[in-house]
Amino acid sequence: MSVYNSLDSITEELHKCMKCGNCMAVCPIYKETRQEVGVARGKISLVEYLLSGEIEMTERLADRFSLCTTCMACNTNCPCGVQFDKIILAARAEAVRKKGLHPVKKIAFTALKMQRMFDFGMKTGSLFQGVALKHVPHKSDRIARMRFDIGIGTDKVFPMLASKTLRSEFPEVVKVKNPKMRVAFFTGCMINYFYTDIGKAVVEVLKENDIEVVIPKGQGCCGIPASVNGDVASASALAKRNLRAFEKLGADALVVACSSGGTAWKHVFGELLENDPEFKALADKWAGKSYDISEFLIHKVPFKKQGLGRVDRKVTYHDPCHLNRGQGINKEPREILKSIPGVTVIEMKEPGRCCGMAGSFSLVHPDLSVQISDRKTADIELTHTDTVATGCPACRLQLKSGAENAGIEEEVLHTIQILAESYRAGKKNEIRSL
Amino acid sequence: MLAREVLQELIQVLGAENVLTEQEDLLTYAYDATAAMKHHKPDVVVSPLSTEQVAEVVKIAVRHNIPIYPRGSGTNLSGGTIPTKGGIVLSMLNLNKILEIDQDNLTATVQPGVIIQALNDEVLKLGLLYPPDPGTVTTATMGGSLSECSGGLRGLKYGVTKHYIMGLQIVLANGEVIRWGGKTVKNVTGYDLVALFTGAEGTLGIVTEIIVKLIPSPEARKSILAVFDDVDKAGKAIASIIRNKIIPATLEIMDNVTIQTVEHFVHAGLPLDAEAVLLIEVDGYKEVVEREAVLVEQILKDEQAVEVKIAKDDKERDLLWLARRSALPALAQKRPTTVLEDATVPRSKIPDMLKAIRRIADKHNLNIATFGHAGDGNLHPTILTDERDQDEMKRVHLAVDEIFQTAISLGGTLSGEHGIGIAKMKYLDWEFGEAGVAALRRIKEALDPNYLLNPGKIVRRD
């Protein structure tokens, strides 16, 4: 029984909690609000009251359940081993079953399901985004601010929509001479529509390592925005679409450069589709060969060290929650960074603390999201680096917004972009030495 | 339910954002960290930002005769913050500033909502230390820890919270604000209210500012593990270390049940067949630490420890302490409900107490693991159970009664560091007698005649 289908699935998880309150030491939301409802212990109690029938599911209760970035910091600090992310996902799914989805989210998740419509909207958006967004001059990132407040504040700096989506820039199969492997690339929405530079770097690095890259056109949203908000139906539909698209083209392995996408392929698809034997088998099969790009380049196909050129950067690395705690990947990106000539890695205080983005959390709780982000930005500033590397496009957005608003000169990049940069620098040297 | 008028007065003083009234918020203040306690929902939760606001809240409460339950992080283990009569929960968490660190007088002045670890992080930068370190240092507040007079691992050498509280600002039950004590080491002006309010569990007044004593942080430390095949031998070793005039900073014990659970949990290399292990840490100047470590090692061998191991480096040291710190988490994962007691005896009685606990566990067919601060006689018999099993819970309550009876008969006390709260109120006359309980009541009534401050804790109203 998965957390998405029934609240009963988490009763044992709830009983584990002894209310010690250790979650208070690490919860990013509680640190800002200092209200019990902000922390895991408080919400666990509310779920218990709900299960015992003492309270009913109300919109106010659903509001309280929205107070979680699912950063899983409490999981790692819990003496009783409570997996709070399971509890909160189950509670949100229950809220949607009982009270329906928030109307705005309903529209958004429906759009995600209709890929062609969504694509069209995003393309039109890239032409007309100037109406709502004001471009912020910046040397490396195409970023903008909201011109007016639509309920999410005007502080947040957004990336501009790319003029061409990533998937329209590449053929479905990117060939190389003497391929040693065929790898499918799940792009995810942020990389496809906004951060195409990350996607291009992924393809570039894979090609450099003699890997044929497959980018199925039929792929869509990973469904995580829907599943974390309890919209199980939309999330399941998206999971099936993606499984079909990748199964059609086939590959030896699947890579992602986005921590949500990785979580989706490795864990969530199987959980969502547990009652559908055919798709469950498919989900498990692909879960077994899904890799985060840094994980892939360290463990599956160790990346080529010769040909790495010098990249002069002082880098600090931010651990995305769903990559670090969600998939246990934190050494790999650092190993990649440290192997690049010219890169110095300087750790920030608490690199694993949530940046406060958490997808739609930052839209529903913009002020809280900014408060959490400000702490992260302050930690970054103390490192006196020029670059923040991370492994997740959503974190990149948040970190960039934080740095921009604090007025600090800090480039925010995905680890893979710095590796691609190094291969490029290596080639330049080769040409020069010819 | 509170009258609308009361809520309006509270909002006027504190602002609407600092007054919680919705059921979904209130329910999250109906409990604390104490296992198997009845929940009680407050009528309102308020978060003052200043002493003046606290005083105003108290005056409103007095006018309308509403109980006030002061609360820090709600990590106590005695039901001390549960609002048994509804009313106002006074969350002190927004009073969270370190006001001053005075290096000349070795004091810090803090607001009650400061987290203990946050203070220690700051003073450590100056080479100083605030020694009390309950298991909850990273979550508990200074105000809560003062009100419960919490102890921790360093009690033997450094004492407990009450030994570090020098001055207080207090809002009395009538809304008046007083200051007592200060930065002077010596102060015999009037009754020692600082001592009285420390450990009063918020039943006599509301502390809004605290002056604590700091000490220089020790230069070096060394950890030693000793394994025993017999509880009595471990007990003799404890006594022998102290008799030889060595006062370790920490002297901890774990019994066989704890050792087995912890070892499976963290693989720290503890021998599974040991009846007891002692974990000892000496600290101070480098030269002193070197000398003491050798002495302790010799004493442990003389007292027939099966194995003695001195941690060679920080890594080994960390592993040993990870084992000790994992005691509660490891035990807590075995069963859904963890009843953690803190019966305390003179340290010479530790072997007697350990054996009595074993007998009680067998008698009631319960799983009880014991670990704790052997050096100061403060044990944590930990009953692993399941709240949903009513028959077992009955046996748990009987066992708890017997553990306390034993502790008192051995010349010990009901509570070493968790406080009385609701959980141990009924046992008070075992320790004090009727006259003692009556004396407590007269103190309570002198300072809080209408039982408005944390009512239902420590002292029962007749």
Side-chain angles (χ1 to χ4, degrees):
Chain A
M1 194 169 24
S2 97
V3 296
Y4 299 107
N5 300 324
S6 163
L7 202 51
D8 294 335
S9 63
I10 51 161
T11 43
E12 276 313 306
E13 213 57 46
L14 291 169
H15 282 301
K16 280 194 213 160
C17 173
M18 63 172 181
K19 309 289 183 296
C20 67
N22 271 15
C23 39
M24 292 185 287
V26 292
C27 176
I29 293 182
Y30 181 77
K31 222 167 212 132
E32 304 306 327
T33 65
R34 293 179 293 279
Q35 290 180 1
E36 181 84 19
V37 80
V39 80
R41 180 172 73 167
K43 284 182 287 265
I44 285 175
S45 303
L46 289 178
V47 177
E48 286 171 345
Y49 286 121
L50 183 65
L51 273 171
S52 70
E54 224 156 311
I55 54 171
E56 282 176 12
M57 182 58 82
T58 58
E59 261 151 52
R60 287 202 310 221
L61 189 59
D63 274 353
R64 301 319 192 268
F65 291 146
S66 77
L67 284 168
C68 173
T69 67
T70 66
C71 77
M72 295 178 278
C74 52
N75 289 6
T76 35
N77 207 44
C78 178
C80 306
V82 174
Q83 293 178 287
F84 181 67
D85 55 321
K86 289 195 171 159
I87 294 176
I88 198 69
L89 293 178
R92 287 175 182 175
E94 175 76 1
V96 171
R97 277 193 295 274
K98 290 275 156 65
K99 304 307 291 180
L101 198 60
H102 189 280
V104 175
K105 288 182 185 168
K106 195 168 181 174
I107 294 167
F109 300 154
T110 307
L112 290 179
K113 269 189 290 188
M114 299 194 285
Q115 187 62 36
R116 246 174 279 159
M117 275 277 287
F118 189 60
D119 245 0
F120 175 74
M122 290 303 240
K123 273 175 201 151
T124 325
S126 85
L127 289 174
F128 293 105
Q129 57 189 336
V131 177
L133 290 167
K134 188 163 157 252
H135 187 241
V136 183
H138 195 274
K139 62 175 186 208
S140 66
D141 259 316
R142 298 183 65 243
I143 52 176
R145 262 180 232 280
M146 294 301 288
R147 287 186 195 270
F148 37 82
D149 191 356
I150 55 163
I152 56 173
T154 52
D155 283 343
K156 178 141 259 145
V157 176
F158 290 98
M160 299 286 274
L161 276 165
S163 53
K164 271 188 179 167
T165 66
L166 180 79
R167 294 198 289 264
S168 68
E169 288 204 51
F170 287 99
E172 259 192 327
V173 180
V174 182
K175 303 242 182 239
V176 291
K177 257 187 253 164
N178 310 320
K180 57 178 166 196
M181 203 184 220
R182 177 180 163 96
V183 168
F185 178 25
F186 176 76
T187 67
C189 296
M190 288 202 66
I191 291 176
N192 188 45
Y193 297 109
F194 295 96
Y195 290 129
T196 53
D197 50 356
I198 299 178
K200 286 175 196 164
V202 169
V203 176
E204 200 178 330
V205 168
L206 288 175
K207 276 172 70 185
E208 197 60 38
N209 284 278
D210 305 315
I211 290 167
E212 178 174 294
V213 188
V214 182
I215 313 172
K217 296 266 186 235
Q219 63 179 300
C221 166
C222 66
I224 292 283
S227 61
V228 299
N229 284 294
D231 183 359
V232 178
S234 299
S236 306
L238 289 163
K240 286 186 188 173
R241 161 216 287 286
N242 284 312
L243 286 166
R244 258 189 242 115
F246 280 77
E247 186 62 20
K248 199 172 131 200
L249 289 178
D252 305 322
L254 178 145
V255 297
V256 288
C258 156
S259 58
S260 298
T263 308
W265 280 94
K266 289 180 183 178
H267 308 296
V268 181
F269 289 175
E271 286 164 19
L272 286 168
L273 302 170
E274 61 169 5
N275 295 325
D276 185 329
E278 187 197 336
F279 273 102
K280 169 78 170 119
L282 213 50
D284 288 346
K285 178 178 129 188
W286 281 93
K289 52 181 176 181
S290 293
Y291 299 88
D292 176 70
I293 185 69
S294 65
E295 181 188 23
F296 181 83
L297 292 171
I298 296 290
H299 302 301
K300 186 73 182 164
V301 177
F303 68 99
K304 212 173 68 183
K305 304 283 191 322
Q306 72 271 32
L308 286 176
R310 192 177 170 81
V311 175
D312 282 310
R313 285 185 186 275
K314 275 193 265 175
V315 182
T316 191
Y317 180 78
H318 162 75
D319 284 296
C321 301
H322 288 116
L323 194 58
N324 176 22
R325 284 179 289 273
Q327 299 171 54
I329 296 171
N330 46 56
K331 293 189 192 73
E332 293 81 353
R334 290 178 169 83
E335 204 179 317
I336 292 178
L337 289 169
K338 283 176 184 164
S339 66
I340 299 174
V343 167
T344 330
V345 178
I346 302 165
E347 294 288 347
M348 68 179 92
K349 196 177 124 197
E350 299 182 81
R353 194 159 40 71
C354 181
C355 67
M357 174 70 194
S360 54
F361 172 83
S362 66
L363 302 179
V364 180
H365 301 285
D367 296 342
L368 207 46
S369 172
V370 167
Q371 279 175 25
I372 297 170
S373 157
D374 285 349
R375 279 181 200 265
K376 180 58 73 177
T377 310
D379 289 349
I380 289 170
E381 200 169 0
L382 283 176
T383 60
H384 301 291
T385 49
D386 47 48
T387 308
V388 189
T390 190
C392 170
C395 296
R396 179 179 173 192
L397 191 163
Q398 179 84 339
L399 297 169
K400 183 73 227 172
S401 180
E404 194 62 29
N405 283 331
I408 57 171
E409 288 276 322
E410 195 92 25
E411 208 170 345
V412 185
L413 297 170
H414 191 292
T415 312
I416 198 72
Q417 291 178 273
I418 304 176
L419 182 59
E421 190 181 1
S422 173
Y423 281 132
R424 248 173 275 145
K427 282 211 185 98
K428 251 186 222 162
N429 276 349
E430 245 172 67
I431 293 165
R432 248 183 250 134
S433 59
L434 279 177
Chain B
M1 278 291 282
L2 292 183
R4 273 251 306 266
E5 174 194 356
V6 179
L7 287 180
Q8 271 159 2
E9 285 178 40
L10 289 171
I11 289 170
Q12 199 151 28
V13 172
L14 299 156
E17 68 279 17
N18 295 313
V19 179
L20 302 178
T21 55
E22 291 183 357
Q23 156 167 273
E24 290 79 4
D25 292 316
L26 299 180
L27 281 169
T28 63
Y29 294 87
Y31 55 83
D32 54 31
T34 319
M37 280 280 155
K38 196 169 178 292
H39 289 198
H40 295 273
K41 186 177 77 167
D43 295 311
V44 62
V45 177
V46 301
S47 306
L49 298 164
S50 65
T51 303
E52 293 69 36
Q53 287 188 347
V54 174
E56 286 305 311
V57 171
V58 171
K59 284 176 193 159
I60 293 169
V62 170
R63 270 204 302 281
H64 300 280
N65 199 33
I66 302 162
I68 297 181
Y69 292 89
R71 181 182 174 109
S73 297
T75 53
N76 77 87
L77 295 169
S78 58
T81 45
I82 298 175
T84 44
K85 296 184 182 343
I88 301 170
V89 161
L90 188 71
S91 168
M92 305 305 275
L93 294 175
N94 284 346
L95 286 164
N96 61 350
K97 290 190 186 61
I98 297 172
L99 300 172
E100 185 196 41
I101 297 171
D102 181 340
Q103 293 189 77
D104 295 333
N105 290 305
L106 289 182
T107 62
T109 306
V110 300
Q111 291 186 319
V114 169
I115 306 297
I116 307 171
Q117 187 69 48
L119 173 63
N120 252 329
D121 288 346
E122 282 310 305
V123 301
L124 194 63
K125 291 177 191 164
L126 306 168
L128 299 171
L129 179 73
Y130 172 71
D133 66 336
T136 49
V137 271
T138 59
T139 51
T141 62
M142 290 295 291
S145 140
L146 163 131
S147 296
E148 299 291 333
C149 189
S150 48
L153 267 64
R154 288 193 277 246
L156 173 58
K157 180 171 179 179
Y158 294 107
V160 299
T161 303
K162 66 182 171 192
H163 302 114
Y164 293 88
I165 306 300
M166 299 177 73
L168 296 175
Q169 182 183 58
I170 305 157
V171 177
L172 296 172
N174 58 8
E176 284 172 11
V177 182
I178 60 168
R179 279 184 174 277
W180 224 266
K183 290 185 181 179
T184 61
V185 172
K186 296 177 177 175
N187 180 332
V188 292
T189 309
Y191 298 134
D192 190 353
L193 294 195
V194 173
L196 179 63
F197 278 85
T198 304
E201 302 184 16
T203 61
L204 301 179
I206 299 162
V207 173
T208 53
E209 211 175 287
I210 310 163
I211 300 173
V212 300
K213 179 167 95 173
L214 303 173
I215 63 166
S217 182
E219 179 188 72
R221 53 189 57 170
K222 229 171 181 113
S223 298
I224 302 144
L225 171 82
V227 180
F228 290 89
D229 57 8
D230 181 289
V231 172
D232 278 317
K233 288 180 191 164
K236 280 197 190 130
I238 296 166
S240 185
I241 292 169
I242 310 286
R243 215 180 311 112
N244 279 284
K245 303 184 178 57
I246 299 167
I247 308 291
T250 307
L251 206 178
E252 298 285 302
I253 193 166
M254 293 193 275
D255 76 348
N256 178 266
V257 183
T258 313
I259 293 166
Q260 296 215 14
T261 315
V262 166
E263 185 53 28
H264 286 126
F265 195 64
V266 293
H267 310 293
L270 303 178
L272 292 172
D273 54 351
E275 277 306 308
V277 297
L278 295 180
L279 257 170
I280 301 152
E281 184 161 284
V282 288
D283 69 0
Y285 289 109
K286 244 186 289 178
E287 296 76 6
V288 175
V289 168
E290 289 298 333
R291 211 176 121 195
E292 283 190 341
V294 174
L295 284 172
V296 169
E297 187 181 14
Q298 193 52 51
I299 295 165
L300 290 165
K301 284 181 178 157
D302 293 347
E303 296 297 337
Q304 300 169 31
V306 186
E307 190 194 337
V308 181
K309 201 163 93 183
I310 299 186
K312 283 195 300 288
D313 48 30
D314 280 354
K315 211 173 139 191
E316 280 194 21
R317 173 182 181 270
D318 289 348
L319 190 61
L320 287 183
W321 290 105
L322 175 69
R324 166 60 185 87
R325 277 198 311 274
S326 304
L328 183 57
L331 292 169
Q333 297 211 3
K334 287 196 91 175
R335 298 286 305 277
T337 309
T338 310
V339 177
L340 178 69
E341 290 303 346
D342 67 326
T344 301
V345 295
R347 70 174 78 90
S348 60
K349 301 289 185 192
I350 287 272
D352 296 337
M353 190 65 198
L354 283 172
K355 281 181 282 183
I357 293 168
R358 188 84 0 258
R359 270 198 308 277
I360 294 167
D362 291 342
K363 180 177 160 195
H364 296 287
N365 189 22
L366 290 168
N367 195 358
I368 307 185
T370 305
F371 61 93
H373 322 300
D376 53 37
N378 178 198
L379 290 178
H380 291 306
T382 304
I383 311 179
L384 311 178
T385 178
D386 189 337
E387 225 180 319
R388 295 165 288 183
D389 184 338
Q390 288 188 0
D391 171 63
E392 188 169 318
M393 285 311 284
K394 258 184 220 152
R395 286 182 278 127
V396 168
H397 292 306
L398 289 173
V400 169
D401 288 357
E402 286 173 30
I403 288 172
F404 289 141
Q405 268 161 359
T406 312
I408 292 172
S409 71
L410 291 171
T413 183
L414 292 169
S415 178
E417 57 182 4
H418 295 171
I420 299 303
I422 315 171
K424 288 173 208 148
M425 203 159 49
K426 66 174 177 183
Y427 304 113
L428 276 180
D429 63 341
W430 294 1
E431 188 162 334
F432 296 142
E434 285 300 323
V437 175
L440 274 183
R441 182 172 299 124
R442 284 198 296 278
I443 293 173
K444 166 77 175 170
E445 289 174 359
L447 286 163
D448 179 20
N450 297 315
Y451 285 75
L452 289 184
L453 301 179
N454 208 5
K457 315 297 165 65
I458 306 183
V459 184
R460 207 187 301 269
R461 190 177 200 175
D462 278 334

